[in-house]
Amino acid sequence: MLIGFCAVIHFPHPDNPKLKHIHRLVIHPDYQGIGLGKKLLNFVAELYAKQNYDVRLITSAKNLIFGLNHDKNWGCTNYGRFKITNRTADKALVKSSSKERITASFKYIGKE
């Protein structure tokens, strides 16, 4: 039985060509709340960090925000609500944006 899944995508960025974004983290409901998600995130992030990639993620899951805030391998880079601008691209994404949710952005800083 599959217990967890973590999807990582290459995030094209003009200033940082070595940026990976953890796009999805799923843990089977029977196994949630015991730290497996954080262990999986750390394992996957460490694999990419060893290849000199910068690993980041954005989440609105309160339990994950709390867990990563207390993990020395992750640093919080942003916390709050998403700001919608008047650009056309943003207007197309209003329904799927996180403007109504508090989100946190994290960067994998690795083991010390």
Side-chain angles (χ1 to χ4, degrees), residues 1 3-4 25 27-42 63-64 66-67 71:
M1 170 166 78
I3 295 172
L25 174 67
I27 300 295
H28 190 283
D30 292 345
Y31 296 90
Q32 291 178 0
I34 58 174
L36 292 179
K38 198 163 71 164
K39 283 186 184 286
L40 181 56
L41 283 177
N42 282 327
N63 55 345
L64 187 56
F66 179 83
D71 189 319

Side-chain angles (χ1 to χ4, degrees), residues 3-98:
I3 295 172
F5 172 81
C6 183
V8 180
I9 60 173
H10 179 70
F11 193 81
H13 192 276
D15 297 329
N16 186 355
K18 302 279 278 180
L19 187 58
K20 297 291 182 181
H21 181 77
I22 294 179
H23 177 65
R24 180 82 58 215
L25 174 67
V26 180
I27 300 295
H28 190 283
D30 292 345
Y31 296 90
Q32 291 178 0
I34 58 174
L36 292 179
K38 198 163 71 164
K39 283 186 184 286
L40 181 56
L41 283 177
N42 282 327
F43 176 79
V44 170
E46 183 65 21
L47 286 175
Y48 282 102
K50 285 181 180 176
Q51 298 174 46
N52 295 319
Y53 285 103
D54 291 330
V55 181
R56 297 173 189 247
L57 69 86
I58 300 171
T59 184
S60 61
K62 293 177 186 176
N63 55 345
L64 187 56
I65 292 171
F66 179 83
L68 292 179
N69 259 334
H70 291 86
D71 189 319
K72 63 181 179 198
N73 295 320
W74 293 89
C76 186
T77 59
N78 192 27
Y79 181 82
R81 297 191 193 281
F82 182 72
K83 306 268 189 304
I84 297 288
T85 64
N86 289 328
R87 295 184 319 177
T88 306
D90 291 336
K91 288 178 184 177
L93 297 173
V94 167
K95 288 184 179 179
S96 64
S97 78
S98 59

